[in-house]
Amino acid sequence: QVQLVESGGGLVQPGGSLRVSCVASGRISSIYDMGWYRQAPGKQRELVAQITSGNTTTYVDSVKGRFTISRDNAKKRVYLQMNSLKPEDTAVYYCNADIVDFSGYRGYYWGQGTQVTVSS
């Protein structure tokens, strides 16, 4: 069974930095796109950043220049470095990955989420 587990969330002051990470485990054959989504209270889940298996990255406009997504394929990990955090970045951050397992099944998997709160 494939699982994604996030870590690294917490409380940070405006202007501060935080790094969240996500590790994939289980019977994994290949991992394609990996990404970070977030959902604030009363809002829809939105894509924050995405990284392909070839390390091409995309970002939502609101985080460009502040957030950096990266991955370590050997460790099956994806990271989101968040700098210059703003109160509006407060949300639950979810990891997502396009994974092929040993049976050949390909699907999108989600982590359980990690809370990021930006407040003074």
Side-chain angles (χ1 to χ4, degrees):
Q1 185 175 359
V2 173
Q3 282 189 319
L4 298 178
V5 177
E6 301 99 335
S7 61
L11 173 65
V12 63
Q13 292 187 341
S17 297
L18 203 62
R19 189 176 83 155
V20 291
S21 65
C22 170
V23 61
S25 64
R27 296 171 59 80
I28 296 171
S29 176
S30 301
I31 303 178
Y32 294 99
D33 293 355
M34 303 184 83
W36 287 96
Y37 288 70
R38 66 185 178 188
Q39 187 166 20
K43 294 188 176 182
Q44 289 189 337
R45 189 175 297 189
E46 66 169 350
L47 176 63
V48 176
Q50 191 169 46
I51 184 166
T52 69
S53 55
N55 286 322
T56 299
T57 59
T58 56
Y59 299 91
V60 67
D61 285 347
S62 60
V63 308
K64 285 181 180 177
R66 300 190 298 122
F67 289 12
T68 302
I69 189 170
S70 61
R71 64 191 286 170
D72 183 329
N73 292 326
K75 295 182 178 179
K76 298 184 180 65
R77 284 186 175 269
V78 61
Y79 306 95
L80 186 67
Q81 177 68 42
M82 301 181 287
N83 299 328
S84 302
L85 281 161
K86 304 175 181 180
E88 51 263 43
D89 295 317
T90 296
V92 178
Y93 284 70
Y94 296 92
C95 173
N96 173 270
D98 178 8
I99 294 175
V100 179
D101 68 18
F102 284 168
S103 74
Y105 172 78
R106 181 172 181 172
Y108 286 91
Y109 293 85
W110 292 91
Q112 81 288 352
T114 185
Q115 177 70 46
V116 172
T117 303
V118 184
S119 175
S120 55

